[in-house]
Amino acid sequence: MGKKKGTDPPALQKYGVPLYSAAWLPLQFRHEDHDSSKQHEQDKDREEITHASASSYEYYVILAGGGGEGRSGIPNAVLLSRFDFSSNSLSPQPVAKLNLGSDLPYRMVVHPGGDGLICALPNSCRFFEWDEVEDNEDHKLGLKSSEKVLTQLEDVGQQLALVFNSDSSVLAVGGEDGNLRVFKWPSMEIIFNEAQAHASLKDLCFSPDGKFLVSLGGRGPGRVWDVTSSMAVASLSKENDEIFASCRFSQISDQTQVLYVAAITDKGSSIVTWNASSWKRVSSKHVFREPVSSFNISPDGKFLAIGTAQGDVMLINSTNMCIQTMIRKAHLGIVTALTFSHDSRALVSASMDSSARVTLVEDKKCAGGGSSLRIIIFIIIMAIVVYFLKNEGVLPFLG
């Protein structure tokens, strides 16, 4: 029997607010505890969790969005939802919700080490911490405003890109006004401040080793920054009226890093690959006929994820750039965010239609692999048939 029409899968839930950002709770999330014995036990538990199976560890998805400053009645909030691998389901209701009043959390970055998260609000950025509430001996996870004030990011206008490097020691922030700011974390000591990095800054990503930072603007070329020298060391040029939408690095071997840029072209979506040593363009692969609206790469580097303005979500094999999984109309609105879980086993997508969806990542053959194999088999069979017909004299003109 087919799926009942109009029934959403349990991995797709609507939360009542347009969503602009999505992330996973870091595995190494830590609670502040001044009791050294309890802290020791927590450290031990975290070590055990790291080696536990996905089914024995609770996964949480963090979502941010809202209705903005108007009187639409739609709240602005950061939500926390639980994902269950065993049933492939998101909690129908958030397990925690932090209302932000009239401030829309348009962008969000989660601290990789578990300190908390930063939201980009209309005119500033604010830091939030994890909160553990005891309720009848049950520990519930939540969020709370932090006493740590990001003074350097107050009254700076709307920030469109927020990113930490892999060891959480550096924070980069890019604004709608094109200003690029890079700070040491958690001291917030400025490393460099480039006022005109782009006309408007759209995306940022650090290289896995933290040495380089790539920034993308609106319609101009991308730029590569050496974090230590605070200098731009390369320019990522465009071809054939491409619009660079998003960028991500991947470590493909101990010595080799590559940069992927999702680009919008007149044919739809393309993935451009760059050598992260010479900064030369390696290849460009057209992957879909619709323009990309969100992009990410799995931590293990095996898969790229693309979301579209039509609500489609697809997983692409990074080795051969073929579509491995396609979910048409995964959402009813534009896909605004995509993030893989820390173990690369799941992908969360968020949309302006107020929905979040988790897609399990299956290591299977590309969608086109089966048809290619059938074509090869067909050709071999036809060759055998022609050979025998020729030998029997049925096809004398081939003699």
Side-chain angles (χ1 to χ4, degrees), residues 346-375:
L347 172 75
V348 62
S349 53
S351 172
M352 287 185 66
D353 71 354
S354 304
S355 69
R357 182 175 192 139
V358 174
T359 301
L360 297 183
V361 179
E362 299 177 8
D363 199 356
K364 59 186 180 181
K365 293 181 179 180
C366 292
S371 57
S372 298
L373 179 60
R374 287 192 292 270
I375 292 173

PDB file of all heavy atoms in Angstrom, residues 346-375:
ATOM      1  N   ALA A 346      23.053  11.796   9.557  1.00  0.00           N
ATOM      2  CA  ALA A 346      21.753  12.431   9.346  1.00  0.00           C
ATOM      3  C   ALA A 346      21.939  13.871   8.900  1.00  0.00           C
ATOM      4  O   ALA A 346      22.941  14.514   9.210  1.00  0.00           O
ATOM      5  CB  ALA A 346      20.919  12.365  10.622  1.00  0.00           C
ATOM      6  N   LEU A 347      20.948  14.356   8.168  1.00  0.00           N
ATOM      7  CA  LEU A 347      20.944  15.732   7.673  1.00  0.00           C
ATOM      8  C   LEU A 347      19.658  16.405   8.109  1.00  0.00           C
ATOM      9  O   LEU A 347      18.566  15.889   7.868  1.00  0.00           O
ATOM     10  CB  LEU A 347      21.026  15.739   6.139  1.00  0.00           C
ATOM     11  CG  LEU A 347      20.851  17.098   5.448  1.00  0.00           C
ATOM     12  CD1 LEU A 347      22.115  17.943   5.618  1.00  0.00           C
ATOM     13  CD2 LEU A 347      20.522  16.910   3.963  1.00  0.00           C
ATOM     14  N   VAL A 348      19.777  17.559   8.771  1.00  0.00           N
ATOM     15  CA  VAL A 348      18.589  18.326   9.107  1.00  0.00           C
ATOM     16  C   VAL A 348      18.455  19.472   8.116  1.00  0.00           C
ATOM     17  O   VAL A 348      19.433  20.131   7.764  1.00  0.00           O
ATOM     18  CB  VAL A 348      18.635  18.864  10.554  1.00  0.00           C
ATOM     19  CG1 VAL A 348      19.800  19.806  10.779  1.00  0.00           C
ATOM     20  CG2 VAL A 348      17.315  19.575  10.906  1.00  0.00           C
ATOM     21  N   SER A 349      17.234  19.683   7.640  1.00  0.00           N
ATOM     22  CA  SER A 349      16.934  20.803   6.747  1.00  0.00           C
ATOM     23  C   SER A 349      15.827  21.628   7.372  1.00  0.00           C
ATOM     24  O   SER A 349      14.951  21.113   8.063  1.00  0.00           O
ATOM     25  CB  SER A 349      16.515  20.298   5.358  1.00  0.00           C
ATOM     26  OG  SER A 349      15.447  19.359   5.445  1.00  0.00           O
ATOM     27  N   ALA A 350      15.878  22.930   7.127  1.00  0.00           N
ATOM     28  CA  ALA A 350      14.874  23.848   7.665  1.00  0.00           C
ATOM     29  C   ALA A 350      14.335  24.719   6.548  1.00  0.00           C
ATOM     30  O   ALA A 350      15.004  24.929   5.528  1.00  0.00           O
ATOM     31  CB  ALA A 350      15.475  24.713   8.771  1.00  0.00           C
ATOM     32  N   SER A 351      13.135  25.250   6.756  1.00  0.00           N
ATOM     33  CA  SER A 351      12.469  25.991   5.691  1.00  0.00           C
ATOM     34  C   SER A 351      11.657  27.153   6.246  1.00  0.00           C
ATOM     35  O   SER A 351      11.256  27.163   7.410  1.00  0.00           O
ATOM     36  CB  SER A 351      11.553  25.055   4.899  1.00  0.00           C
ATOM     37  OG  SER A 351      10.745  25.764   3.976  1.00  0.00           O
ATOM     38  N   MET A 352      11.397  28.102   5.361  1.00  0.00           N
ATOM     39  CA  MET A 352      10.539  29.227   5.711  1.00  0.00           C
ATOM     40  C   MET A 352       9.085  28.804   5.893  1.00  0.00           C
ATOM     41  O   MET A 352       8.269  29.594   6.378  1.00  0.00           O
ATOM     42  CB  MET A 352      10.642  30.319   4.644  1.00  0.00           C
ATOM     43  CG  MET A 352      11.952  31.075   4.681  1.00  0.00           C
ATOM     44  SD  MET A 352      11.999  32.445   3.504  1.00  0.00           S
ATOM     45  CE  MET A 352      10.748  33.511   4.222  1.00  0.00           C
ATOM     46  N   ASP A 353       8.747  27.570   5.512  1.00  0.00           N
ATOM     47  CA  ASP A 353       7.376  27.100   5.737  1.00  0.00           C
ATOM     48  C   ASP A 353       7.187  26.589   7.175  1.00  0.00           C
ATOM     49  O   ASP A 353       6.178  25.955   7.476  1.00  0.00           O
ATOM     50  CB  ASP A 353       6.994  26.009   4.732  1.00  0.00           C
ATOM     51  CG  ASP A 353       7.712  24.682   4.982  1.00  0.00           C
ATOM     52  OD1 ASP A 353       8.600  24.642   5.862  1.00  0.00           O
ATOM     53  OD2 ASP A 353       7.384  23.695   4.299  1.00  0.00           O
ATOM     54  N   SER A 354       8.152  26.888   8.045  1.00  0.00           N
ATOM     55  CA  SER A 354       8.108  26.547   9.474  1.00  0.00           C
ATOM     56  C   SER A 354       8.433  25.091   9.766  1.00  0.00           C
ATOM     57  O   SER A 354       8.235  24.626  10.894  1.00  0.00           O
ATOM     58  CB  SER A 354       6.737  26.888  10.108  1.00  0.00           C
ATOM     59  OG  SER A 354       6.426  28.250   9.907  1.00  0.00           O
ATOM     60  N   SER A 355       8.927  24.365   8.774  1.00  0.00           N
ATOM     61  CA  SER A 355       9.182  22.949   8.980  1.00  0.00           C
ATOM     62  C   SER A 355      10.664  22.636   9.096  1.00  0.00           C
ATOM     63  O   SER A 355      11.524  23.329   8.532  1.00  0.00           O
ATOM     64  CB  SER A 355       8.579  22.121   7.840  1.00  0.00           C
ATOM     65  OG  SER A 355       9.278  22.354   6.630  1.00  0.00           O
ATOM     66  N   ALA A 356      10.946  21.570   9.850  1.00  0.00           N
ATOM     67  CA  ALA A 356      12.283  20.989   9.927  1.00  0.00           C
ATOM     68  C   ALA A 356      12.157  19.515   9.568  1.00  0.00           C
ATOM     69  O   ALA A 356      11.148  18.864   9.887  1.00  0.00           O
ATOM     70  CB  ALA A 356      12.874  21.152  11.314  1.00  0.00           C
ATOM     71  N   ARG A 357      13.172  18.989   8.919  1.00  0.00           N
ATOM     72  CA  ARG A 357      13.130  17.597   8.470  1.00  0.00           C
ATOM     73  C   ARG A 357      14.505  16.964   8.646  1.00  0.00           C
ATOM     74  O   ARG A 357      15.529  17.602   8.367  1.00  0.00           O
ATOM     75  CB  ARG A 357      12.718  17.540   6.996  1.00  0.00           C
ATOM     76  CG  ARG A 357      12.593  16.130   6.427  1.00  0.00           C
ATOM     77  CD  ARG A 357      12.069  16.158   5.011  1.00  0.00           C
ATOM     78  NE  ARG A 357      11.677  14.847   4.545  1.00  0.00           N
ATOM     79  CZ  ARG A 357      10.602  14.580   3.818  1.00  0.00           C
ATOM     80  NH1 ARG A 357       9.794  15.580   3.466  1.00  0.00           N
ATOM     81  NH2 ARG A 357      10.309  13.356   3.444  1.00  0.00           N
ATOM     82  N   VAL A 358      14.531  15.734   9.104  1.00  0.00           N
ATOM     83  CA  VAL A 358      15.783  14.989   9.212  1.00  0.00           C
ATOM     84  C   VAL A 358      15.773  13.869   8.182  1.00  0.00           C
ATOM     85  O   VAL A 358      14.819  13.088   8.102  1.00  0.00           O
ATOM     86  CB  VAL A 358      15.990  14.423  10.624  1.00  0.00           C
ATOM     87  CG1 VAL A 358      17.239  13.534  10.653  1.00  0.00           C
ATOM     88  CG2 VAL A 358      16.134  15.554  11.633  1.00  0.00           C
ATOM     89  N   THR A 359      16.835  13.807   7.392  1.00  0.00           N
ATOM     90  CA  THR A 359      17.003  12.772   6.376  1.00  0.00           C
ATOM     91  C   THR A 359      18.184  11.898   6.766  1.00  0.00           C
ATOM     92  O   THR A 359      19.282  12.411   7.009  1.00  0.00           O
ATOM     93  CB  THR A 359      17.265  13.400   4.997  1.00  0.00           C
ATOM     94  OG1 THR A 359      16.162  14.250   4.644  1.00  0.00           O
ATOM     95  CG2 THR A 359      17.450  12.325   3.932  1.00  0.00           C
ATOM     96  N   LEU A 360      17.966  10.601   6.879  1.00  0.00           N
ATOM     97  CA  LEU A 360      19.055   9.686   7.198  1.00  0.00           C
ATOM     98  C   LEU A 360      19.957   9.518   5.980  1.00  0.00           C
ATOM     99  O   LEU A 360      19.475   9.415   4.845  1.00  0.00           O
ATOM    100  CB  LEU A 360      18.509   8.328   7.639  1.00  0.00           C
ATOM    101  CG  LEU A 360      17.664   8.335   8.919  1.00  0.00           C
ATOM    102  CD1 LEU A 360      17.237   6.909   9.277  1.00  0.00           C
ATOM    103  CD2 LEU A 360      18.410   8.971  10.069  1.00  0.00           C
ATOM    104  N   VAL A 361      21.242   9.498   6.219  1.00  0.00           N
ATOM    105  CA  VAL A 361      22.219   9.377   5.137  1.00  0.00           C
ATOM    106  C   VAL A 361      22.549   7.913   4.948  1.00  0.00           C
ATOM    107  O   VAL A 361      23.089   7.265   5.850  1.00  0.00           O
ATOM    108  CB  VAL A 361      23.499  10.174   5.464  1.00  0.00           C
ATOM    109  CG1 VAL A 361      24.522  10.018   4.354  1.00  0.00           C
ATOM    110  CG2 VAL A 361      23.161  11.642   5.685  1.00  0.00           C
ATOM    111  N   GLU A 362      22.215   7.381   3.788  1.00  0.00           N
ATOM    112  CA  GLU A 362      22.471   5.977   3.478  1.00  0.00           C
ATOM    113  C   GLU A 362      23.583   5.882   2.447  1.00  0.00           C
ATOM    114  O   GLU A 362      23.540   6.555   1.416  1.00  0.00           O
ATOM    115  CB  GLU A 362      21.201   5.307   2.955  1.00  0.00           C
ATOM    116  CG  GLU A 362      20.045   5.325   3.956  1.00  0.00           C
ATOM    117  CD  GLU A 362      18.784   4.713   3.396  1.00  0.00           C
ATOM    118  OE1 GLU A 362      18.857   4.148   2.283  1.00  0.00           O
ATOM    119  OE2 GLU A 362      17.739   4.801   4.053  1.00  0.00           O
ATOM    120  N   ASP A 363      24.564   5.064   2.736  1.00  0.00           N
ATOM    121  CA  ASP A 363      25.706   4.894   1.842  1.00  0.00           C
ATOM    122  C   ASP A 363      25.331   3.887   0.763  1.00  0.00           C
ATOM    123  O   ASP A 363      25.618   2.695   0.848  1.00  0.00           O
ATOM    124  CB  ASP A 363      26.922   4.398   2.624  1.00  0.00           C
ATOM    125  CG  ASP A 363      28.218   4.654   1.861  1.00  0.00           C
ATOM    126  OD1 ASP A 363      28.133   5.143   0.724  1.00  0.00           O
ATOM    127  OD2 ASP A 363      29.290   4.348   2.405  1.00  0.00           O
ATOM    128  N   LYS A 364      24.662   4.376  -0.266  1.00  0.00           N
ATOM    129  CA  LYS A 364      24.190   3.510  -1.343  1.00  0.00           C
ATOM    130  C   LYS A 364      24.693   4.027  -2.672  1.00  0.00           C
ATOM    131  O   LYS A 364      25.303   5.090  -2.760  1.00  0.00           O
ATOM    132  CB  LYS A 364      22.663   3.464  -1.357  1.00  0.00           C
ATOM    133  CG  LYS A 364      22.022   4.844  -1.536  1.00  0.00           C
ATOM    134  CD  LYS A 364      20.510   4.774  -1.407  1.00  0.00           C
ATOM    135  CE  LYS A 364      19.885   6.158  -1.577  1.00  0.00           C
ATOM    136  NZ  LYS A 364      18.423   6.136  -1.446  1.00  0.00           N
ATOM    137  N   LYS A 365      24.444   3.251  -3.721  1.00  0.00           N
ATOM    138  CA  LYS A 365      24.883   3.657  -5.045  1.00  0.00           C
ATOM    139  C   LYS A 365      24.075   4.847  -5.532  1.00  0.00           C
ATOM    140  O   LYS A 365      22.942   5.053  -5.123  1.00  0.00           O
ATOM    141  CB  LYS A 365      24.742   2.495  -6.040  1.00  0.00           C
ATOM    142  CG  LYS A 365      25.689   1.338  -5.751  1.00  0.00           C
ATOM    143  CD  LYS A 365      25.521   0.233  -6.789  1.00  0.00           C
ATOM    144  CE  LYS A 365      26.485  -0.914  -6.524  1.00  0.00           C
ATOM    145  NZ  LYS A 365      26.325  -1.997  -7.517  1.00  0.00           N
ATOM    146  N   CYS A 366      24.689   5.641  -6.393  1.00  0.00           N
ATOM    147  CA  CYS A 366      24.007   6.817  -6.933  1.00  0.00           C
ATOM    148  C   CYS A 366      22.768   6.419  -7.693  1.00  0.00           C
ATOM    149  O   CYS A 366      22.651   5.304  -8.210  1.00  0.00           O
ATOM    150  CB  CYS A 366      24.947   7.596  -7.855  1.00  0.00           C
ATOM    151  SG  CYS A 366      26.301   8.379  -6.978  1.00  0.00           S
ATOM    152  N   ALA A 367      21.847   7.369  -7.777  1.00  0.00           N
ATOM    153  CA  ALA A 367      20.574   7.095  -8.439  1.00  0.00           C
ATOM    154  C   ALA A 367      20.758   6.648  -9.869  1.00  0.00           C
ATOM    155  O   ALA A 367      20.033   5.818 -10.390  1.00  0.00           O
ATOM    156  CB  ALA A 367      19.681   8.335  -8.391  1.00  0.00           C
ATOM    157  N   GLY A 368      21.779   7.163 -10.551  1.00  0.00           N
ATOM    158  CA  GLY A 368      21.993   6.814 -11.951  1.00  0.00           C
ATOM    159  C   GLY A 368      22.781   5.553 -12.148  1.00  0.00           C
ATOM    160  O   GLY A 368      22.922   5.056 -13.258  1.00  0.00           O
ATOM    161  N   GLY A 369      23.341   4.965 -11.059  1.00  0.00           N
ATOM    162  CA  GLY A 369      24.200   3.800 -11.203  1.00  0.00           C
ATOM    163  C   GLY A 369      23.471   2.593 -11.736  1.00  0.00           C
ATOM    164  O   GLY A 369      23.974   1.836 -12.552  1.00  0.00           O
ATOM    165  N   GLY A 370      22.222   2.373 -11.261  1.00  0.00           N
ATOM    166  CA  GLY A 370      21.474   1.209 -11.700  1.00  0.00           C
ATOM    167  C   GLY A 370      21.147   1.261 -13.169  1.00  0.00           C
ATOM    168  O   GLY A 370      21.284   0.271 -13.888  1.00  0.00           O
ATOM    169  N   SER A 371      20.706   2.412 -13.668  1.00  0.00           N
ATOM    170  CA  SER A 371      20.354   2.525 -15.081  1.00  0.00           C
ATOM    171  C   SER A 371      21.582   2.367 -15.959  1.00  0.00           C
ATOM    172  O   SER A 371      21.509   1.793 -17.046  1.00  0.00           O
ATOM    173  CB  SER A 371      19.671   3.868 -15.336  1.00  0.00           C
ATOM    174  OG  SER A 371      20.489   4.931 -14.938  1.00  0.00           O
ATOM    175  N   SER A 372      22.739   2.855 -15.509  1.00  0.00           N
ATOM    176  CA  SER A 372      23.967   2.705 -16.291  1.00  0.00           C
ATOM    177  C   SER A 372      24.336   1.233 -16.411  1.00  0.00           C
ATOM    178  O   SER A 372      24.760   0.767 -17.477  1.00  0.00           O
ATOM    179  CB  SER A 372      25.118   3.473 -15.620  1.00  0.00           C
ATOM    180  OG  SER A 372      24.824   4.848 -15.574  1.00  0.00           O
ATOM    181  N   LEU A 373      24.184   0.480 -15.310  1.00  0.00           N
ATOM    182  CA  LEU A 373      24.496  -0.941 -15.335  1.00  0.00           C
ATOM    183  C   LEU A 373      23.558  -1.682 -16.272  1.00  0.00           C
ATOM    184  O   LEU A 373      23.980  -2.571 -17.031  1.00  0.00           O
ATOM    185  CB  LEU A 373      24.390  -1.514 -13.912  1.00  0.00           C
ATOM    186  CG  LEU A 373      24.676  -3.019 -13.755  1.00  0.00           C
ATOM    187  CD1 LEU A 373      26.097  -3.335 -14.211  1.00  0.00           C
ATOM    188  CD2 LEU A 373      24.464  -3.447 -12.314  1.00  0.00           C
ATOM    189  N   ARG A 374      22.270  -1.314 -16.256  1.00  0.00           N
ATOM    190  CA  ARG A 374      21.311  -1.963 -17.151  1.00  0.00           C
ATOM    191  C   ARG A 374      21.650  -1.709 -18.606  1.00  0.00           C
ATOM    192  O   ARG A 374      21.489  -2.581 -19.460  1.00  0.00           O
ATOM    193  CB  ARG A 374      19.895  -1.475 -16.827  1.00  0.00           C
ATOM    194  CG  ARG A 374      19.341  -2.028 -15.524  1.00  0.00           C
ATOM    195  CD  ARG A 374      17.849  -1.753 -15.396  1.00  0.00           C
ATOM    196  NE  ARG A 374      17.580  -0.333 -15.239  1.00  0.00           N
ATOM    197  CZ  ARG A 374      17.522   0.275 -14.063  1.00  0.00           C
ATOM    198  NH1 ARG A 374      17.727  -0.420 -12.944  1.00  0.00           N
ATOM    199  NH2 ARG A 374      17.254   1.564 -13.983  1.00  0.00           N
ATOM    200  N   ILE A 375      22.112  -0.508 -18.923  1.00  0.00           N
ATOM    201  CA  ILE A 375      22.495  -0.193 -20.305  1.00  0.00           C
ATOM    202  C   ILE A 375      23.669  -1.053 -20.742  1.00  0.00           C
ATOM    203  O   ILE A 375      23.700  -1.590 -21.865  1.00  0.00           O
ATOM    204  CB  ILE A 375      22.837   1.302 -20.428  1.00  0.00           C
ATOM    205  CG1 ILE A 375      21.574   2.152 -20.239  1.00  0.00           C
ATOM    206  CG2 ILE A 375      23.475   1.604 -21.790  1.00  0.00           C
ATOM    207  CD1 ILE A 375      21.843   3.639 -20.170  1.00  0.00           C
TER     208      ILE A 375
END
